Amino acid sequence: AQALNVLDWLQQPVDVARLRAALETAVAESAGGRPLVLHVEDDLDVRHVVADALRNSCEVMAAGSLEEARRALAERRPKLAILDIALGDGSGLELLPLLQQPGERNVPVIIFSAQSVDDASLIASVDAVLTKSKTSLHQLGEMVRKLGRQVAREGERG
């Protein structure tokens, strides 16, 4: 199997979850093994700085608006999402239902916003809440790597 670069052997009837995991592994390997991260931010400078900070560990799919993010999500499912709350065309929080769909693997979400978040139920529904003015890019990168490792471990188990 290694000589042929076989990722997995699927018997019929096909286990859809196992097929999905094998496909995700193949996509990750074709992307250099780096997890795909959706970054939704309307400030172009912040998008560039975050992409630069994460370039060695992640493939960043940047979206400057809700509409761009929805189109990106229709094409590819990220391993992790970084969302700004205040966008020109709405709130990044509107994407949460698309990232946490029943029957799908929940995408870990980091809220990275200038706005502080005090809503306990929102804080409980995401993986991290970071305030831009209080969080360094190094801290953001560490959080992305930590959640990426968790996703990888869950993928190995399941």
Short mmCIF file of all heavy atoms in Angstrom, two decimals, residues 1 24 35 40 46 50 58-60 65 69 77 79 102 106 109 114 118-120 131-132 134 138 150 152:
data_model
loop_
_atom_site.label_atom_id
_atom_site.label_comp_id
_atom_site.label_asym_id
_atom_site.label_seq_id
_atom_site.Cartn_x
_atom_site.Cartn_y
_atom_site.Cartn_z
N ALA A 1 0.82 -1.20 0.00
CA ALA A 1 0.00 0.00 0.00
C ALA A 1 0.86 1.26 0.00
O ALA A 1 0.53 2.23 -0.67
CB ALA A 1 -0.93 0.01 1.21
N GLU A 24 -10.14 13.81 3.56
CA GLU A 24 -9.55 14.95 4.27
C GLU A 24 -8.05 14.77 4.44
O GLU A 24 -7.29 15.71 4.30
CB GLU A 24 -10.24 15.17 5.62
CG GLU A 24 -11.63 15.75 5.49
CD GLU A 24 -12.34 15.91 6.82
OE1 GLU A 24 -11.80 15.52 7.87
OE2 GLU A 24 -13.47 16.44 6.79
N PRO A 35 -2.97 22.52 7.84
CA PRO A 35 -4.42 22.65 7.95
C PRO A 35 -4.92 23.93 7.26
O PRO A 35 -4.22 24.95 7.25
CB PRO A 35 -4.66 22.71 9.45
CG PRO A 35 -3.37 23.16 10.03
CD PRO A 35 -2.29 22.66 9.12
N VAL A 40 -11.75 35.33 8.50
CA VAL A 40 -12.75 36.30 8.05
C VAL A 40 -12.47 37.62 8.75
O VAL A 40 -12.63 37.74 9.97
CB VAL A 40 -14.18 35.80 8.34
CG1 VAL A 40 -15.20 36.80 7.80
CG2 VAL A 40 -14.40 34.42 7.75
N VAL A 46 -4.87 43.59 8.40
CA VAL A 46 -4.93 42.54 9.42
C VAL A 46 -4.90 41.17 8.75
O VAL A 46 -4.21 40.25 9.22
CB VAL A 46 -6.17 42.69 10.33
CG1 VAL A 46 -6.31 41.51 11.28
CG2 VAL A 46 -6.10 44.00 11.10
N VAL A 50 -1.96 38.49 9.65
CA VAL A 50 -2.30 37.17 10.19
C VAL A 50 -1.84 36.07 9.24
O VAL A 50 -1.26 35.07 9.67
CB VAL A 50 -3.81 37.07 10.50
CG1 VAL A 50 -4.22 35.64 10.80
CG2 VAL A 50 -4.17 37.99 11.66
N CYS A 58 0.05 26.90 8.49
CA CYS A 58 -1.32 26.76 8.00
C CYS A 58 -1.44 27.29 6.57
O CYS A 58 -0.67 28.14 6.15
CB CYS A 58 -2.30 27.57 8.85
SG CYS A 58 -2.26 27.21 10.58
N GLU A 59 -2.45 26.79 5.88
CA GLU A 59 -2.87 27.40 4.63
C GLU A 59 -4.03 28.32 5.00
O GLU A 59 -5.04 27.85 5.53
CB GLU A 59 -3.33 26.35 3.63
CG GLU A 59 -3.86 26.94 2.34
CD GLU A 59 -4.51 25.92 1.43
OE1 GLU A 59 -4.41 24.72 1.68
OE2 GLU A 59 -5.15 26.36 0.46
N VAL A 60 -3.89 29.61 4.78
CA VAL A 60 -4.92 30.56 5.19
C VAL A 60 -5.79 30.92 3.98
O VAL A 60 -5.29 31.33 2.93
CB VAL A 60 -4.29 31.84 5.79
CG1 VAL A 60 -5.38 32.85 6.15
CG2 VAL A 60 -3.46 31.49 7.01
N SER A 65 -15.33 39.54 3.71
CA SER A 65 -16.74 39.83 3.98
C SER A 65 -17.47 38.52 4.26
O SER A 65 -16.94 37.44 4.02
CB SER A 65 -17.38 40.51 2.76
OG SER A 65 -17.44 39.60 1.66
N ALA A 69 -16.80 34.78 2.64
CA ALA A 69 -16.66 33.64 3.53
C ALA A 69 -17.65 32.55 3.17
O ALA A 69 -17.30 31.36 3.16
CB ALA A 69 -16.85 34.08 4.98
N ARG A 77 -14.07 23.06 3.18
CA ARG A 77 -14.34 23.07 4.62
C ARG A 77 -13.01 23.20 5.36
O ARG A 77 -12.16 22.33 5.26
CB ARG A 77 -15.06 21.80 5.04
CG ARG A 77 -15.54 21.84 6.48
CD ARG A 77 -16.81 21.04 6.64
NE ARG A 77 -17.30 21.07 7.98
CZ ARG A 77 -18.16 21.98 8.45
NH1 ARG A 77 -18.60 22.92 7.66
NH2 ARG A 77 -18.58 21.94 9.70
N LYS A 79 -10.25 23.46 8.54
CA LYS A 79 -10.01 22.74 9.80
C LYS A 79 -10.25 23.65 10.98
O LYS A 79 -10.47 23.19 12.09
CB LYS A 79 -8.57 22.21 9.85
CG LYS A 79 -8.26 21.16 8.84
CD LYS A 79 -8.92 19.86 9.19
CE LYS A 79 -8.49 18.78 8.22
NZ LYS A 79 -9.18 17.55 8.44
N PRO A 102 -25.02 20.14 12.12
CA PRO A 102 -25.26 18.76 12.57
C PRO A 102 -24.84 17.77 11.48
O PRO A 102 -25.03 18.02 10.30
CB PRO A 102 -26.78 18.72 12.78
CG PRO A 102 -27.21 20.15 12.89
CD PRO A 102 -26.22 20.95 12.09
N ASN A 106 -17.56 19.68 13.65
CA ASN A 106 -17.56 21.10 14.02
C ASN A 106 -16.19 21.68 13.75
O ASN A 106 -15.17 21.09 14.09
CB ASN A 106 -17.90 21.29 15.50
CG ASN A 106 -19.38 21.24 15.76
OD1 ASN A 106 -20.20 21.22 14.84
ND2 ASN A 106 -19.75 21.22 17.02
N VAL A 109 -13.55 27.35 16.29
CA VAL A 109 -13.68 28.77 15.96
C VAL A 109 -12.95 29.61 16.99
O VAL A 109 -13.12 29.43 18.20
CB VAL A 109 -15.17 29.19 15.91
CG1 VAL A 109 -15.31 30.70 15.73
CG2 VAL A 109 -15.90 28.45 14.80
N ALA A 114 -11.81 43.26 17.60
CA ALA A 114 -11.54 44.45 18.40
C ALA A 114 -12.60 44.61 19.49
O ALA A 114 -12.35 45.22 20.52
CB ALA A 114 -11.50 45.69 17.51
N ASP A 118 -18.72 39.61 25.97
CA ASP A 118 -19.15 39.34 27.33
C ASP A 118 -20.25 38.30 27.41
O ASP A 118 -20.63 37.88 28.50
CB ASP A 118 -19.65 40.64 27.99
CG ASP A 118 -18.56 41.70 28.07
OD1 ASP A 118 -17.39 41.33 28.30
OD2 ASP A 118 -18.88 42.89 27.90
N ASP A 119 -20.76 37.88 26.28
CA ASP A 119 -21.87 36.94 26.22
C ASP A 119 -21.36 35.53 26.57
O ASP A 119 -20.63 34.90 25.79
CB ASP A 119 -22.47 36.96 24.81
CG ASP A 119 -23.65 36.04 24.64
OD1 ASP A 119 -23.83 35.11 25.46
OD2 ASP A 119 -24.40 36.24 23.67
N ALA A 120 -21.75 35.02 27.74
CA ALA A 120 -21.27 33.72 28.22
C ALA A 120 -21.65 32.58 27.29
O ALA A 120 -20.86 31.66 27.07
CB ALA A 120 -21.80 33.46 29.63
N THR A 131 -9.10 39.24 22.01
CA THR A 131 -9.29 40.65 21.68
C THR A 131 -8.03 41.16 21.01
O THR A 131 -6.92 40.98 21.54
CB THR A 131 -9.59 41.47 22.95
OG1 THR A 131 -10.72 40.87 23.61
CG2 THR A 131 -9.91 42.90 22.63
N LYS A 132 -8.18 41.79 19.85
CA LYS A 132 -7.02 42.21 19.06
C LYS A 132 -6.05 43.08 19.86
O LYS A 132 -4.85 42.89 19.77
CB LYS A 132 -7.48 42.95 17.80
CG LYS A 132 -8.13 42.06 16.78
CD LYS A 132 -8.62 42.86 15.60
CE LYS A 132 -9.36 41.98 14.61
NZ LYS A 132 -9.95 42.76 13.51
N LYS A 134 -5.40 43.10 22.90
CA LYS A 134 -4.78 42.43 24.04
C LYS A 134 -4.06 41.14 23.66
O LYS A 134 -3.54 40.45 24.52
CB LYS A 134 -5.85 42.09 25.09
CG LYS A 134 -6.55 43.31 25.66
CD LYS A 134 -7.66 42.90 26.60
CE LYS A 134 -8.40 44.12 27.10
NZ LYS A 134 -9.53 43.75 27.96
N HIS A 138 1.72 36.26 17.98
CA HIS A 138 2.31 35.03 18.50
C HIS A 138 1.27 34.24 19.29
O HIS A 138 1.15 33.02 19.12
CB HIS A 138 3.53 35.35 19.37
CG HIS A 138 4.13 34.14 20.01
ND1 HIS A 138 4.89 33.22 19.30
CD2 HIS A 138 4.05 33.66 21.27
CE1 HIS A 138 5.26 32.25 20.10
NE2 HIS A 138 4.77 32.49 21.30
N GLN A 150 -5.39 19.57 18.20
CA GLN A 150 -6.57 18.89 18.72
C GLN A 150 -7.39 18.28 17.60
O GLN A 150 -7.85 17.14 17.69
CB GLN A 150 -7.44 19.86 19.52
CG GLN A 150 -6.86 20.23 20.85
CD GLN A 150 -7.71 21.28 21.60
OE1 GLN A 150 -8.71 21.76 21.08
NE2 GLN A 150 -7.27 21.63 22.79
N ALA A 152 -6.29 17.37 14.67
CA ALA A 152 -5.53 16.25 14.11
C ALA A 152 -5.68 15.00 14.98
O ALA A 152 -5.87 13.90 14.47
CB ALA A 152 -4.06 16.63 13.97
#
